Each structure stands twice: as structure tokens, then as C-alpha cells.
């Protein structure tokens, strides 16, 4: 040891043993054997559980009356929809008030009211393609999967899917089961695949991420594209949705909804194609449960335009 370290402290440590510290001067001019005592490290108890994915989903559906709102509420939301094609971007931003009915009511009873709106365009590259989104507001209402369960949440369609308990994670400091699903190999229609995040304690669905099965998404072109030019081929590449719910005063309310649709655009008799990205999302910013009434007809915003 150099003279500068003669009065230093040397620490010996090893996993599973109690650390020891000695004066460096003890090592001067001699060989020493040090003995280290074992340390007993207690581990947290490990609980092994078998999670039945179908039973978990059924329990989630059965507990909707306990976990989700049954009475109408006002939601103040931030809404955006966008179109991206080559270098061109079209964006609509709005603040909306939503009249949301309970989970047992039809979405036909729900309403939207426009508070403020802004449009922005960035057309850097001239092109003859004109793209419009239809019914993105209505899609946000439809994607409330607790109120409008898709087929993968309905017992009549369980046979068309494979379900598995794939993980356990935490959301908002609560333990959550992750249930993965995808359509059976013998089903060739375009169905969904994705993941459900279900609270392990109260069985509330807190998040769902799903997409049209990429193997068959191209079959949905006629459903997703309502109109197209005669000289255009529009092919869906992927269609992904996400919806989440947040706990407020003991009840879960819709928190965030997003849809992303990607297409390939190719003009007939042309070799190369271009990418078209269409997306929309709605974020809940405020919840009002007092004095909730339907909007006047004059204030009601059409959701299918």
C-alpha cells in the first residue's frame, strides 16, 4: 500500500455475509486471514396463484355495477384528431363536454357539446389526395368497452379466442392481472388480439389495448374506407385501439381513448405506395356528478360527421 493509504479503512463485503472494516495499518508487513460471518437474509413470502383468464373476465363483467358509474355524469374532455400523409398534417383540437350515461344505457343516449375548437394545417407537399375522418367522435363513445363490450368480452364469443394470463403488473399503485387474447387458428375472419388489464382486488377493467389481427387486417378495407378514388388502392396496415379507466371517489370513469389507423395508399399503375396515418383521441380532464342533465338540442354536437 502507498503511504497515503496507511491510515485508510478497508471494507470487505460479500453477498450473504456480514461486511467487515479494518484499518489498513493491520496489513503492513504481514499476511492475515479474515473470517466473515454469514448473514441470514429473510425473503418476502411468495404467493403462487393460478389465475383463470376466462373466470377473471367473467368476474369483471359481473362486477360492472359495483365498479362503474350507473348514473349520468358530465365529462370535460380534450379531443384531437389528425391526418398525416407524406409531409402533410391536418389537426383538429377541441374541448368538449360529454353527457355520459351509466354503463347499462345505450350510447345513443349520450351527447357531446362543443366548447372550443381549433384547426391546423401543414401542407408542405402538394398532392391530389384529400382525406377526411368520419365518426371519430362516435368512435370515442363506442370504444367505452365497459358500456359497449366487444366480442372478446362476451361469453358467446369466447370460443373464437384463446385467452391466457400473461403477467401481473401495477397501475396507479394497484396490482393488475394482464390477460392476453388472440383469435383461434381455425378462425379466419378479422378479429382482435390484445391485452386486458384487470384489477386483482376488485376485478375492474382499468385498461384495454387491442388491435385488429394483423394477419387479417387487410380484409377490413371495405369496412374502414367508406369512399375512395377510382384510381386509388387503400390497404389497411394496422388498426390499434387503447382505452383506460380511472378511479374517482370509489367509481371508475373513462380516462383516455385513442385509435390509430395506418394505411398504404397506392395509385393504380404506380409501383410505390405512401403511408397514411389517421388517429383520434379523447382525454377526460374533469368529472361532474351534480345536476347532470341532457343538453339542449341546439347545443348537441353531431358525432357522426
Amino acid at each position: 500500500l502507498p503511504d497515503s493509504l496507511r491510515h485508510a479503512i478497508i471494507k470487505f463485503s460479500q453477498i450473504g455475509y456480514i461486511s467487515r472494516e479494518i484499518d489498513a495499518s493491520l496489513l503492513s508487513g504481514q499476511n492475515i486471514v479474515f473470517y466473515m460471518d454469514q448473514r441470514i437474509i429473510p425473503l418476502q413470502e411468495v404467493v403462487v396463484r393460478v389465475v383463470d383468464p376466462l373466470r377473471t373476465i367473467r368476474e369483471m363483467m359481473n362486477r360492472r355495477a359495483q365498479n362503474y358509474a350507473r348514473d349520468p355524469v358530465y365529462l370535460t374532455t380534450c379531443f384531437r384528431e389528425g391526418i398525416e400523409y407524406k409531409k402533410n398534417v391536418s389537426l383538429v383540437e377541441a374541448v368538449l363536454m360529454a353527457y355520459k350515461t351509466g354503463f347499462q344505457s345505450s350510447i345513443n343516449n349520450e351527447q357531446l357539446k362543443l366548447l372550443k375548437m381549433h384547426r391546423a394545417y401543414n401542407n408542405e407537399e402538394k398532392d391530389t389526395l384529400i382525406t377526411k375522418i368520419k365518426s371519430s367522435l362516435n368512435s370515442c363513445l363506442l370504444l367505452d368497452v365497459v358500456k359497449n363490450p366487444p366480442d372478446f368480452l362476451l361469453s358467446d364469443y369466447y370460443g373464437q379466442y384463446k385467452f391466457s394470463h400473461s403477467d401481473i403488473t401495477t397501475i396507479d399503485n394497484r396490482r393488475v392481472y394482464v390477460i392476453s387474447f388472440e383469435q383461434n387458428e381455425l378462425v379466419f375472419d378479422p378479429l382482435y388480439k390484445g391485452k386486458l388489464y384487470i384489477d386483482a382486488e376488485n376485478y375492474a377493467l382499468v385498461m384495454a389495448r387491442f388491435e385488429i389481427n394483423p394477419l387479417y387486417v387487410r380484409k377490413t378495407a371495405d369496412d374502414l374506407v367508406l369512399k375512395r378514388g377510382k384510381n386509388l388502392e387503400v390497404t389497411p396496415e394496422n388498426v390499434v385501439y387503447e382505452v383506460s379507466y380511472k378511479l374517482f371517489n370509489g367509481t371508475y370513469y373513462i380516462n383516455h381513448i385513442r385509435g390509430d389507423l395506418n394505411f398504404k395508399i397506392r395509385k393504380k399503375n404506380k409501383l410505390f405506395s405512401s403511408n397514411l396515418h389517421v388517429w383520434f383521441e379523447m382525454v377526460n380532464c374533469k368529472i361532474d356528478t351534480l345536476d347532470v342533465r341532457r343538453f339542449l338540442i341546439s347545443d348537441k354536437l353531431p358525432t357522426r360527421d
Side-chain angles (χ1 to χ4, degrees):
L1 291 175
D3 291 339
S4 60
L5 295 179
R6 292 294 180 186
H7 302 290
I9 299 296
I10 296 179
K11 181 177 180 179
F12 297 87
S13 64
Q14 171 68 20
I15 294 176
Y17 293 85
I18 299 174
S19 300
R20 292 194 61 179
E21 294 183 354
I22 64 167
D23 292 329
S25 59
L26 295 178
L27 299 178
S28 178
Q30 57 182 322
N31 296 325
I32 299 178
V33 177
F34 291 94
Y35 294 92
M36 303 179 70
D37 295 327
Q38 289 186 343
R39 178 196 297 272
I40 298 177
I41 303 176
L43 298 178
Q44 186 177 359
E45 180 183 276
V46 176
V47 178
V48 179
R49 295 182 180 179
V50 177
V51 178
D52 185 336
L54 287 180
R55 178 187 171 278
T56 302
I57 295 174
R58 287 191 182 99
E59 192 68 22
M60 181 275 292
M61 295 293 288
N62 291 335
R63 294 200 189 189
R64 287 184 297 167
Q66 304 172 33
N67 291 323
Y68 301 93
R70 288 176 284 180
D71 300 319
V73 296
Y74 285 145
L75 304 181
T76 303
T77 68
C78 176
F79 171 80
R80 297 196 305 169
E81 67 176 26
I83 302 171
E84 301 173 9
Y85 178 69
K86 295 183 178 179
K87 296 182 180 180
N88 300 334
V89 178
S90 173
L91 178 67
V92 174
E93 297 178 313
V95 178
L96 305 173
M97 179 171 283
Y99 171 83
K100 287 281 292 180
T101 55
F103 79 94
Q104 293 176 316
S105 302
S106 168
I107 68 161
N108 295 328
N109 297 324
E110 296 186 335
Q111 298 176 314
L112 294 176
K113 178 180 179 180
L114 179 63
L115 302 181
K116 183 178 291 189
M117 188 182 74
H118 168 73
R119 292 181 182 270
Y121 300 94
N122 179 22
N123 296 326
E124 294 185 2
E125 187 171 332
K126 292 185 178 180
D127 199 282
T128 57
L129 182 69
I130 298 175
T131 307
K132 292 183 179 181
I133 308 176
K134 182 177 175 63
S135 297
S136 55
L137 290 174
N138 193 61
S139 296
C140 288
L141 299 179
L142 283 172
L143 282 169
D144 184 349
V145 295
V146 169
K147 173 189 282 287
N148 310 288
D151 55 5
F152 53 78
L153 292 181
L154 300 175
S155 58
D156 291 344
Y157 298 92
Y158 287 169
Q160 296 185 348
Y161 288 93
K162 295 186 302 183
F163 296 87
S164 63
H165 173 225
S166 56
D167 198 4
I168 296 179
T169 187
T170 56
I171 297 178
D172 293 335
N173 297 320
R174 295 181 64 89
R175 189 158 53 93
V176 173
Y177 297 138
V178 182
I179 307 297
S180 299
F181 63 92
E182 61 180 325
Q183 68 189 82
N184 283 326
E185 295 90 343
L186 299 178
V187 178
F188 303 105
D189 294 327
L191 301 183
Y192 295 104
K193 65 177 296 186
K195 294 182 178 181
L196 305 172
Y197 298 77
I198 299 176
D199 191 285
E201 181 179 345
N202 58 28
Y203 288 91
L205 178 67
V206 295
M207 184 184 299
R209 294 174 176 166
F210 56 100
E211 63 179 322
I212 299 177
N213 193 326
L215 295 176
Y216 307 108
V217 67
R218 296 193 173 193
K219 292 184 178 181
T220 64
D222 292 337
D223 297 322
L224 297 175
V225 183
L226 300 185
K227 293 182 180 180
R228 73 194 79 189
K230 294 181 179 180
N231 64 332
L232 288 179
E233 293 181 0
V234 184
T235 306
E237 290 291 301
N238 59 71
V239 179
V240 183
Y241 302 107
E242 179 177 320
V243 56
S244 66
Y245 298 84
K246 200 169 187 69
L247 192 62
F248 175 75
N249 290 340
T251 302
Y252 285 88
Y253 296 92
I254 198 77
N255 181 56
H256 177 231
I257 294 171
R258 182 174 174 104
D260 286 273
L261 297 85
N262 290 278
F263 301 88
K264 287 288 187 182
I265 307 293
R266 188 174 73 89
K267 295 181 180 180
K268 292 183 178 180
N269 302 321
K270 297 293 184 180
L271 181 61
F272 299 104
S273 59
S274 301
N275 296 321
L276 171 66
H277 178 207
V278 175
W279 57 271
F280 59 87
E281 68 178 337
M282 181 180 288
V283 181
N284 179 14
C285 303
K286 183 182 177 182
I287 300 171
D288 292 312
T289 59
L290 299 177
D291 195 25
V292 178
R293 302 176 183 178
R294 294 178 61 85
F295 300 137
L296 298 175
I297 295 179
S298 58
D299 294 333
K300 181 180 175 182
L301 179 66
T303 61
R304 296 181 182 273
D305 290 348

